[in-house]
């Protein structure tokens, strides 16, 4: 509340990238603000500059084409994902996870891009993006680079993004369309809550995929799982990949147990 | 029917739903300054030194005040004057405020607060109540030579001897957690130095008179020099006493020092950090039964965490003492409760006040004993429950009101279909992947303060020359609907539509101290005082107008008319005009004094309360064996409230209490470690939401109480004190796992 910052709202990408280049780590991009503003209020983030990215004309772009796949602009909200018919029909995993993210009010503000840039281990949207081989388009004054979400997260609240870089767009390849799966998220209350643990189980051409949140420093993907394995064997593979901790919400032991419980529950639904 | 009482009314509904109700933080005054608290960074430390020089030099700062600036008493409390309203010398918990930063804006006050420099010699905190009472533990209690903050007892017969001859002895240990009140509106106060020399306080609180005592102590001024004016309050649940009063006192200090209005509004984190919580208890029960299920003896030991300061711990403990066997008669009882001072957040009043903890233990002990003896949970309860004209464990004979424990239990058993559902409980064998169970609990609750304190309350009825009526009463509107109930009672007594009455905005300077708005006494005591004032007014009017209307004893006040039935009568307005013509003010002051109670603190024997509320609640649950998650399927309640004056609000309190109890049972848990609270906001401290709560049904039982002027008893606390054990019993019946600790957490491994 005490922290003061300069607010900028550029209306073009070059303008925005120039601001980020100029101010480096002292600038934070504002999309929905559902993570950034509480963090500023609690003194966790102290940016000198808050750069609002929502005025860029391409911010809300959400389009699908067989050649380019699904393009999710940096300003696309979680609610927009839920409202979009193409997403619901062709990329149901995104809608499945979006449904579980926070509350209606938060979903109206929060963006898909913000959810992954925040890089919380409990990110809901990271799980379908991992299962769908999605990529992040990172822009800076020196150009664009594309990073798979498999490499995107490096730790709690940490990503491969460098100072001056901006998550301009998320791309989901057309080849990933029509992948089906089920998401289970354990919460302390029904409705809006951070997950104690979340498991998304999905089918893909290379076998089953299990994406897990809140059970390691980053969201975790285990791919290429033989679809004929039983739940115990799938659980064993996933247990090797996760590294949960004890925290105010529950113990590491309970998290491990619940990952197994969810795999046992979801596997028959995904294999059906 | 004449005088059919209106039973649905809320005088503040329109203002609240339209956002026009004015809470303390909505108040804006010319020249008003803003204060913020500066918290210690320690949990336990000595030789505190506070350097505010940099903060005082910051932009916009009007003053930074510490204990050294206090003209009166720094320390105050309701029982022991141990709580430092501004820290001095020793830090005993992380909620202590070392300074108050005041600036022209809140933003600048916050900036200045960050510049206050604190140094002290840090010490390891004492956080375990058992360890705190062990010999050689560091003494953390203010002014004490040990950490024993309180010791209460019951001595009835020779419990140890009787236990030795019992057919069955159930021996169980339980624990309950610290719970945050989570009122919607955090603490807020505005203090205004008036030109007449009086300091006016408007703030969010439960107890204007208690607040006035804190303010007068801190400032070192008389009670008459402080006026606490009623302000819309967004919930209290027992939690807006000490801390809310201290927030007001700090604002008053700054206002007095600066000679201008000062606002001090808390955010949720400060409220969590500083405000007292429900006492966590550890309870050990040894209860002996004969084969037929008669409870013959009990040995009970309780230990509770009083935290860093005393607050009302002895009173909370006292209720646990008087009600230590739940609503059952046991012939031989030895009970001891000890409260330990620690460096945890202090604990104090919370809706239920020492009863929810005890009931959590007792009501599970009864189910455990029933199962071991091959009796039904209903049989064992019927056999042992307190009965009409029977005794309580404190030796009180229940012969002044209807003892309706059996009636409320039968009501819930009928409404819920308990017996048929009990037979369908899964007892650990999942059906269609789910475990299913139903459980119930019963309780009795001494209404009002009992032997805790002097119990009386007053009201003023002041009829204007046009017949409209002003009402004042010394019970405070916390959001529970107290004013509406008072107005309904007056309307019924005077035979007037409630629209003719206005509840005047009360203040501590306009009506005598009527005691605190706690202990389920609002309707009983405040409503009782209103009825007494109305009756006093009617007596005065009947005597004054007797020459015109006839025998004063026969004059009735009904349907807006005054007169002897069958004789010529006056309209209410004509009658009032006659009163003014005769130079007799239609004005009455009424007092309701609670009937006498008695208590011997060495034996824990006496007439603890002048009446009791009888309750039964049941819960139906489904448990997911894979996750251990408990879902509530349905909740039932029945309470004998004496008389429901405002039926929808009575039911609203019942349902609200059940939701609060469901939170205590299943999710709420203050994450304290090393004296620090890890979940200081509602994103981490979870309370139930609408989606967590199933259909609820409460059936009110009404046996008007002869000792209550209105027949009403109360509902505030009974509603919250027994759902947790009902849920625990339901979870046991679903899973076969007995949950002895709150909140209930099931290990899925135990459900395989």
């Amino acid at each position: 509340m005490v922290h003061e910052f300069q607010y900028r709202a550029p209306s073009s990408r070059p303008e925005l990238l120039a601001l980020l280049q100029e101010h480096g780590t002292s600038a934070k991009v504002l999309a929905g603000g559902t993570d950034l503003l509480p963090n500023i209020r609690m003194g966790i983030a102290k940016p000198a500059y808050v750069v609002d990215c929502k005025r860029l004309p391409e911010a809300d772009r959400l389009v699908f084409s067989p050649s380019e796949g699904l393009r999710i602009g940096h300003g696309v909200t979680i609610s927009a994902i839920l409202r979009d018919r193409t997403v619901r029909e062709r990329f149901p995993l995104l809608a499945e996870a979006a449904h579980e993210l926070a509350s209606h009010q938060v979903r109206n503000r929060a963006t898909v891009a913000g959810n992954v840039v925040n890089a919380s281990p409990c990110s809901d949207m990271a799980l379908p993006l991992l299962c769908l081989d999605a990529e992040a388009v990172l822009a800076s004054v020196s150009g664009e680079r594309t990073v798979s979400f498999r490499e995107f997260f490096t730790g709690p609240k940490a990503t491969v993004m460098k100072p001056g870089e901006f998550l301009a767009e998320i791309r989901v390849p057309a080849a990933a369309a029509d992948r089906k799966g089920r998401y289970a998220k354990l919460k302390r209350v029904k409705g809006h809550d951070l997950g104690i643990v979340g498991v998304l189980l999905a089918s893909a051409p290379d076998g089953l995929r299990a994406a897990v949140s809140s059970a390691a420093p980053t969201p975790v993907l285990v791919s290429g799982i033989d679809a004929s394995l039983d739940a115990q064997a799938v659980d064993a593979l996933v247990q090797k990949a996760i590294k949960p901790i004890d925290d105010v919400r529950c113990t590491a032991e309970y998290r491990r147990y619940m990952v197994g419980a969810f795999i046992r529950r979801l596997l028959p639904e995904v294999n059906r | 029917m004449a005088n059919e009482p209106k039973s649905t009314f809320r005088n503040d509904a329109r203002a609240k739903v339209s956002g026009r109700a004015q809470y303390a933080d909505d108040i804006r005054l010319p020249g008003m300054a803003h204060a913020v608290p500066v918290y210690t960074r320690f949990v336990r430390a000595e030789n505190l030194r506070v350097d505010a020089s940099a903060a005082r030099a910051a932009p916009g700062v009007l003053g930074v005040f510490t204990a050294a600036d206090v003209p009166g008493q720094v320390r105050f409390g309701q029982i022991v004057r141990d709580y430092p309203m501004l820290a001095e010398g020793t830090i005993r918990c992380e909620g202590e405020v070392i300074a108050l930063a005041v600036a022209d804006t809140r933003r600048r006050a916050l900036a200045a607060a960050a510049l206050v420099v604190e140094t002290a010699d840090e010490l390891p905190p004492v956080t375990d109540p058992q360890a705190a009472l062990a010999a050689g533990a560091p003494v953390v209690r203010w002014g004490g030579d040990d950490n024993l903050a309180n010791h209460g007892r019951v001595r009835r017969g020779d419990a140890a001897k009787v236990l030795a001859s019992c057919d069955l002895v159930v021996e169980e240990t339980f624990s309950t957690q610290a719970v945050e009140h989570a009122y919607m509106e955090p603490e807020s106060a505005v203090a205004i130095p008036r030109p007449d020399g009086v300091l006016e306080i408007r703030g969010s609180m439960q107890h204007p008179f208690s607040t006035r005592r804190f303010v007068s102590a801190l400032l070192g001024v008389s009670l008459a020099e402080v006026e606490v004016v009623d302000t819309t309050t967004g919930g209290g649940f027992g939690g807006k006493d000490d801390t809310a009063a201290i927030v007001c006192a700090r604002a008053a200090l700054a206002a007095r020092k600066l000679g201008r209005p000062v606002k001090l509004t808390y955010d949720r984190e400060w409220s969590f950090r500083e405000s007292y919580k429900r006492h966590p208890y550890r309870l050990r029960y040894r209860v002996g039964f004969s084969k037929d299920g008669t409870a013959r003896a009990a040995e009970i030991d309780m230990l509770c965490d009083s935290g860093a300061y005393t607050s009302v711990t002895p009173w909370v403990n006292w209720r646990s003492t008087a009600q230590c066997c739940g609503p059952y008669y046991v012939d031989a009882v030895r009970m001891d409760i000890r409260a330990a001072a620690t460096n945890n957040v202090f604990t104090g009043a919370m809706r239920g006040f020492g009863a929810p903890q005890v009931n959590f233990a007792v009501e599970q002990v009864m189910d455990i004993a029933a199962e071991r003896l091959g009796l039904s949970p209903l049989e064992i309860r019927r056999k042992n429950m307190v009965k009409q004209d029977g005794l309580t464990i404190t030796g009180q004979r229940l012969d002044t009101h209807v003892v309706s424990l059996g009636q409320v239990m039968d009501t819930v058993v009928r409404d819920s279909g308990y017996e048929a559902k009990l037979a369908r409980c899964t007892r650990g064998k999942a059906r269609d992947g789910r475990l299913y169970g139903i459980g119930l609990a019963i309780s009795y609750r001494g209404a009002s303060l009992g032997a805790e304190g002097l119990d009386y309350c007053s009201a003023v009825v002041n009829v204007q020359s046009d017949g409209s009526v002003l009402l004042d009463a010394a019970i405070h509107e916390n959001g529970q609907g107290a004013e509406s109930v008072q107005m309904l009672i007056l309307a019924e007594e005077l035979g007037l539509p409630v629209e003719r009455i206005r509840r005047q905005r009360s203040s501590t300077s306009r009506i005598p101290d009527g005691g605190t708005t706690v202990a389920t006494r609002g309707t009983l005591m405040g409503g009782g005082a209103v009825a007494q004032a109305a009756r006093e007014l009617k007596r005065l009017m009947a005597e004054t107008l007797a020459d015109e209307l006839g025998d004063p004893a026969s004059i009735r006040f009904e349907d807006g008319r005054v007169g002897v039935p069958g004789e010529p009568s006056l309209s209410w307005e004509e009658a009032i005009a006659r009163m003014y013509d005769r130079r007799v003010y239609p004005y009455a002051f009424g007092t309701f004094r609670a009937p006498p109670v008695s208590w011997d603190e060495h034996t824990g024997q006496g007439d603890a309360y002048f009446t009791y509320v009888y309750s039964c609640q049941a819960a139906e649950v489904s448990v997911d064996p894979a996750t251990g998650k408990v879902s509530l399927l349905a909740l039932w309640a029945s309470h004998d409230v004496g008389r429901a004056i405002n039926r929808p609000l009575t039911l609203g309190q019942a349902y609200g209490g059940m939701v609060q109890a469901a939170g205590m049972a299943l999710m709420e848990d203050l994450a304290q470690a090393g004296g620090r609270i890890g979940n200081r906001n509602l994103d981490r401290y979870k309370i139930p939401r609408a989606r967590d709560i199933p259909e609820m049904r409460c059936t009110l039982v009404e046996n008007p109480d002869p000792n209550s002027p209105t027949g009403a008893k109360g509902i505030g606390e009974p509603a919250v004190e027994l759902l947790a054990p009902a849920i625990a019993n339901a979870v046991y019946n679903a899973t076969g796992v007995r949950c002895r600790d709150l909140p209930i957490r099931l290990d899925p491994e135990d459900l395989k």
Side-chain angles (χ1 to χ4, degrees), chain A residues 16-184:
Chain A
L16 179 142
L17 295 178
L19 280 168
L20 295 185
Q21 178 66 24
E22 186 187 343
H23 300 300
T25 52
S26 66
K28 279 275 184 191
V29 174
L30 172 74
T34 56
D35 283 307
L36 180 61
L37 298 185
N39 285 345
I40 292 173
R41 196 180 72 81
M42 291 186 285
I44 295 166
K46 292 180 176 172
Y49 291 86
V50 168
V51 182
D52 191 334
C53 64
K54 293 192 290 294
R55 290 202 193 161
L56 270 54
E58 69 273 25
D60 301 330
R61 186 163 61 194
L62 180 61
V63 289
F64 174 73
S65 70
S67 56
E68 291 185 307
L70 183 70
R71 301 176 66 183
I72 305 172
H74 59 260
V76 171
T77 64
I78 307 298
S79 292
I81 289 287
L82 287 167
R83 274 196 303 269
D84 189 271
R85 193 167 168 173
T86 309
V87 170
R88 287 204 310 272
E89 289 176 358
R90 306 297 308 275
F91 299 94
L93 295 185
L94 287 171
E96 184 97 5
H99 262 299
E100 289 294 327
L101 189 149
S103 62
H104 197 79
Q105 293 93 325
V106 173
R107 289 193 290 269
N108 280 340
R109 293 291 305 175
T111 61
V112 182
N115 189 245
V116 291
V117 170
N118 188 50
S120 164
C122 67
S123 162
D124 286 291
M125 297 312 293
L127 305 190
L129 294 173
L130 284 166
C131 287
L132 294 169
D133 300 313
E135 296 171 327
V137 178
L138 303 180
S140 68
V141 287
S142 44
E144 273 188 9
R145 62 177 178 134
T146 302
V147 179
S148 162
F149 276 103
R150 290 181 186 226
E151 278 89 48
F152 183 78
F153 303 105
T154 56
K157 308 268 172 184
T159 70
V160 297
M161 288 175 70
K162 297 176 189 143
E165 272 190 324
F166 167 60
L167 176 54
E169 189 173 282
I170 292 168
R171 287 193 189 143
V172 186
D178 304 325
R179 282 185 195 166
K180 301 244 175 352
R182 296 286 293 163
Y183 183 40

Side-chain angles (χ1 to χ4, degrees), chain B residues 589-610:
Chain B
F589 176 75
T591 306
F592 176 49
R593 291 178 200 85
V597 289
S598 61
W599 191 254
D600 178 336
E601 65 178 39
H602 299 290
T603 61
Q605 295 293 294
D607 294 343
Y609 300 94
F610 75 87

Side-chain angles (χ1 to χ4, degrees), chain A residues 177-245:
Chain A
D178 304 325
R179 282 185 195 166
K180 301 244 175 352
R182 296 286 293 163
Y183 183 40
K185 179 176 169 183
L186 186 70
K187 298 182 285 191
R188 291 162 296 183
V189 295
K190 293 175 184 167
H192 186 177
D193 193 13
L194 295 179
I196 292 172
V197 79
V199 177
L200 178 64
L201 211 57
S203 54
D206 60 346
L208 278 179
R209 292 183 174 195
V212 185
S213 62
S214 307
T218 66
V220 168
L221 175 69
V222 183
S223 57
I225 302 170
D226 182 348
S228 65
L229 290 178
D230 66 7
Q232 200 180 343
V234 175
D235 183 28
L237 287 172
V238 174
Q239 293 294 342
K240 272 187 254 170
I242 62 175
K243 201 179 169 190
I245 56 165

Side-chain angles (χ1 to χ4, degrees), chain B residues 79-285:
Chain B
I79 299 173
V80 180
R81 294 182 175 181
D82 59 354
Y83 196 97
M85 290 186 264
L86 288 165
E88 58 172 7
T90 303
I91 296 292
R92 289 187 171 77
C93 65
E94 70 156 353
E96 293 208 27
V97 171
I98 56 170
L100 198 61
V102 192
D104 55 353
T105 67
R106 182 174 168 92
R107 175 188 292 260
R108 286 169 139 180
L110 285 165
L115 301 175
V116 173
V117 179
E118 176 196 25
T119 51
D121 304 329
E122 190 165 13
L123 293 166
V126 175
T127 57
D128 179 67
Q130 190 115 37
L133 293 186
V139 175
V140 297
R141 185 165 67 93
W142 180 82
D145 44 22
D146 60 24
N147 292 321
L148 186 66
N150 186 50
H151 181 191
R153 51 181 80 74
V154 176
R155 300 284 182 267
R156 182 175 183 82
D158 188 343
K161 192 173 161 197
V162 180
L163 270 178
S165 68
C166 285
D167 298 326
L168 169 72
V169 176
V170 173
E171 189 166 343
E172 292 284 346
T173 302
F174 301 90
S175 75
T176 67
Q177 78 280 45
V179 176
E180 158 68 27
H181 305 77
Y183 24 76
M184 273 203 275
E185 179 206 22
E187 294 78 0
S188 180
V190 178
I192 306 155
R194 285 201 319 227
D196 62 359
V198 170
L199 197 85
E200 183 175 317
I201 305 285
R202 302 189 212 165
S204 176
M205 71 192 75
Q206 254 175 287
H207 312 148
F209 292 98
S210 176
T211 298
R212 187 174 66 161
R213 287 191 285 273
F214 277 87
V215 173
S216 107
L218 191 71
L219 299 187
V221 300
S222 69
L223 295 174
E225 289 170 283
V226 179
E227 180 171 1
V228 181
V229 177
D230 273 16
T231 306
T232 309
T233 293
F237 311 110
K240 287 224 181 108
D241 197 346
D242 310 47
T243 305
I246 290 163
V247 168
C248 290
R250 291 192 193 123
L253 173 70
R256 175 51 47 95
K257 288 276 177 191
L258 298 173
R260 58 199 280 181
V262 173
K263 180 190 281 185
L264 172 54
T265 294
Y266 269 36
D267 69 17
R268 185 64 68 180
E269 278 89 353
W270 299 343
S271 179
F272 257 84
R273 177 177 188 156
E274 189 180 338
S275 75
Y276 53 91
K277 310 292 182 247
R278 188 190 294 291
H279 291 75
Y281 272 47
R282 293 177 200 170
L283 312 101
R284 185 167 166 273
Y285 273 72

Side-chain angles (χ1 to χ4, degrees), chain A residues 187-188 190 254 257-258 265, chain B residues 624 627 629 684 692 748:
Chain A
K187 298 182 285 191
R188 291 162 296 183
K190 293 175 184 167
Y254 185 58
Y257 187 92
M258 286 310 308
R265 175 174 302 172
Chain B
D624 182 337
T627 63
K629 278 276 193 186
R684 286 172 177 239
D692 298 299

